[in-house]
Amino acid sequence: MGFQLYQPTLLAAGAEDLRVHGLVLAALNLAAGLSAFLVLRVFAALGERRTAGFVLLLLAVAFLGLATGSAPVLLAFFVLQQVAFGFLQPVGRTALNQRIPGPERASLLSVQSLLARLAFGVLLFAAPWDAAFTSGLPRTYLLLGGASLLCAALA
């Protein structure tokens, strides 16, 4: 859900030039891609559970930082969020691949994809409707940060 709030967050911070938005999105995609190169090293060093907890804590810090709405630090928290996003898919897939036999894996991955999209839909409706353009953004980021902290505690 966090990546769907980039543009409203940039607008709320006063960055109205769409070229700035494009540059920010390009930088964030680059950050996520570069962080994906570190996944195997971090996974080997920390193990599965600690890596999952680490990624969830990164997300929590990023979301809670974005809740401040402070323009000078928004980019840093966006990058931190993208680093976590770069880890999520490979870490999740690795955990599933290690536990689920081949024939059942495809079905499980399809169900996982469907549930992820459902979760995005539920979060979109749970988030305040005014979050896109008003003071609801900090509240939405606090909600996402709290959910990430809860998941990190359970990891």
Side-chain angles (χ1 to χ4, degrees):
M1 169 102 182
F3 61 86
Q4 296 169 330
L5 299 175
Y6 288 159
Q7 190 170 19
T9 302
L10 290 171
L11 289 171
E16 296 183 14
D17 187 349
L18 292 181
R19 291 175 292 193
V20 171
H21 293 217
L23 288 172
V24 167
L25 291 175
L28 296 179
N29 282 328
L30 184 60
L34 291 174
S35 70
F37 283 112
L38 301 174
V39 170
L40 292 178
R41 282 188 232 162
V42 172
F43 198 80
L46 297 180
E48 182 180 300
R49 291 180 66 87
R50 287 187 188 148
T51 301
F54 170 71
V55 170
L56 291 165
L57 283 175
L58 281 181
L59 274 178
V61 168
F63 284 134
L64 295 173
L66 288 167
T68 67
S70 175
V73 295
L74 284 179
L75 186 59
F77 288 118
F78 279 154
V79 168
L80 189 61
Q81 184 186 35
Q82 281 301 307
V83 168
F85 284 168
F87 273 71
L88 282 176
Q89 192 78 354
V91 168
R93 291 283 191 258
T94 300
L96 285 175
N97 288 340
Q98 290 175 348
R99 288 179 173 74
I100 309 298
E104 294 146 357
R105 190 178 310 137
S107 297
L108 184 61
L109 290 174
S110 295
V111 170
Q112 179 199 25
S113 178
L114 179 65
L115 290 175
R117 282 162 179 68
L118 180 64
F120 279 121
V122 168
L123 278 174
L124 185 61
F125 285 108
W129 281 106
D130 64 343
F133 300 105
T134 67
S135 62
L137 276 170
R139 186 174 51 217
T140 301
Y141 282 125
L142 286 172
L143 171 73
L144 292 168
S148 297
L149 280 175
L150 176 64
C151 290
L154 296 173

